Amino acid sequence: MSWSQTQQSEDLYDQITILVGSAIRLLSGDAGVFVVSNEAFDPQSNTEYTLYRLTESALMPLLSYIRESKRPNSHCPLVIDTLSPTLVKQLAICDEDEELLRDVKGTKEQPVLERCSLLVNDHAGFLGMLHYLRPPGSSSCFERSDESEGALRLFIAHFAAGLRSALKWQSLVKEQRRLAAIFQQSAEGILTVDTALRIIDFNPTMERLTGWRENEVLGRFYYEVLHPKDRLGNELGLQDSLILQAFAGGEPTSGILTVRDITRERQQEEQRSTFISVISHELQTPIAIIKGYASTLARTDATFDRESLRSRLQAVEEEADRLNKLVGNLLYASRIQAGGLQMELATLDLSNLVQKVTHRLQVKSPGVTVKVNLPPNLPTVMADRDRIEEVLENLLDNAVKYSPDKPVVTVVCRTTGDEVIVSVSDAGMGISLREQEQIFDRFYRVGNAMTNSLQGAGLGLYICRAIVEAHGGRIWVESALHQGSTFLFSLPRMEKAHLPMVVF
Ligand code: ADP
């Protein structure tokens, strides 16, 4: 049986119950209980006692009586006494079991029963105590003659051997269930093979990771299914198989192979290296420019007229601003990662903000054509003014940056039932459908010659998305390659605003 086919044994305790019942019958008992000793009790596999034709409610009074009474020992392994009618009544045996009732001596008002306790031990130690009840005067074949003592000891030895193997079996079944559960639930793919490297087990995670169904692979050679590769990506032939090497020692009869999904780790690794290359490039460029201008200006053999001095200092200032913005974005991105973003919300007149930001762009970049389309009576929104200004600036900067020819940028605001939607359109290089899904990810930059030549750390849209979503809004893009892009974001209208705390 493979781990994949978990054994559903509902009769886990049946072997012991049958054994205990047979022993009680052989000893002429009608009902009883076997109580496992502390030494033999294994919490992983045993129950503390096994009842035979006795109810749970009868157990406690019976055991407390036995605790107070004479108990068997290795010299005298069987102890018999008579229970008082009160206790018999308390055990409620007479009422519940018709057969027992028939055998119970005495009257219904004064029922009488014998209690027998048998010590069960073997060479390995004390296994437990068998307590059973019978009508007074009955006796088993082990009590009838002088030689019976030897027979009783032999009976105890056989009973103990049977119990030991039943307890062992119980513990094996439990162990197997535990392993099967681990195998089925494991987040790692697990397969086991025999010494011929044929698959014996294939867990559900393995099915998910490989796309193979268990019934398709059982009995196949594992390397036909997995095609294992080394770190350099070369396929490992059968000769290099790690499992085969492990089998070389000769001892194992099966091998286990685990498979872990490392896609996410790979992605994080790639993100880290992209981060390092983007950030070092983005930091180095302005630093190199600042240093270049600074050393030119510091030359003692050069003189500069007012205009060239001013333009050089202006370039230094612009690069310092760029550095400042990059560091600010990095800090903001790490705050987004660390927890929720807190917004300082107040009523915001978007028309006013759009006009201010577009005007500033127009002054900064006179070559850019900026068109604004604002409906009259645009509803106010609840928003953090500085943050929304940042979003608009980012989208406008991108629209200009990614429009290689003369940029034309259009900002439109419109209202729907629940939201105000702001769109920033350009007629620039556009974004392919595949890349549109990723541009809002941290450090993601579209990889082409044109983008590579432009500065950027891939943080702007990530920050925009975090800000907009922290306002309960959405941000998305509609774009066609070489035709242009429209970035849109929505903010809930003030009267509808329902602002979540967004945690990234
Ligand atoms: P950055 O501009 O610093 O690279 P962003 O997060 O602002 O980072 O943008 C991510 C990527 O999305 C950019 O690298 C660019 O490839 C693409 N992108 C953003 N805006 C536009 C746009 N208006 N037109 C074309 N591509 C854009």
Side-chain angles (χ1 to χ4, degrees), residues 65-86:
Y65 164 77
I66 291 167
R67 250 193 305 275
E68 310 287 309
S69 319
K70 194 171 170 222
R71 309 185 65 178
N73 55 46
S74 46
H75 301 296
C76 175
L78 180 62
V79 165
I80 303 168
D81 60 15
T82 305
L83 300 182
S84 70
T86 327

Side-chain angles (χ1 to χ4, degrees), residues 281-301:
H281 174 260
E282 286 299 296
L283 287 174
Q284 273 165 352
T285 313
I287 290 171
I289 295 172
I290 291 172
K291 184 170 162 40
Y293 280 123
S295 34
T296 312
L297 291 173
R299 276 170 59 176
T300 48
D301 59 342

Side-chain angles (χ1 to χ4, degrees), residues 400-446:
V400 174
K401 190 160 77 170
Y402 297 109
S403 299
D405 304 323
K406 255 183 137 203
V408 179
V409 181
T410 312
V411 182
V412 178
C413 290
R414 65 189 162 87
T415 320
T416 68
D418 297 338
E419 308 169 309
V420 176
I421 296 177
V422 183
S423 64
V424 177
S425 309
D426 63 63
M429 58 197 281
I431 307 159
S432 72
L433 211 56
R434 192 170 54 83
E435 313 257 25
Q436 286 175 29
E437 286 177 11
Q438 303 175 71
I439 51 173
F440 294 96
D441 291 348
R442 215 162 40 120
F443 302 122
Y444 190 84
R445 303 201 75 215
V446 174

Side-chain angles (χ1 to χ4, degrees), residues 162-175:
L163 278 173
R164 284 245 183 248
S165 78
L167 291 172
K168 186 86 198 151
W169 179 80
Q170 248 188 26
S171 101
L172 284 177
V173 170
K174 282 224 172 168
E175 189 63 18

Side-chain angles (χ1 to χ4, degrees), residues 456-467:
L459 283 174
L461 291 178
Y462 171 71
I463 290 173
C464 289
R465 187 184 61 178
I467 293 174

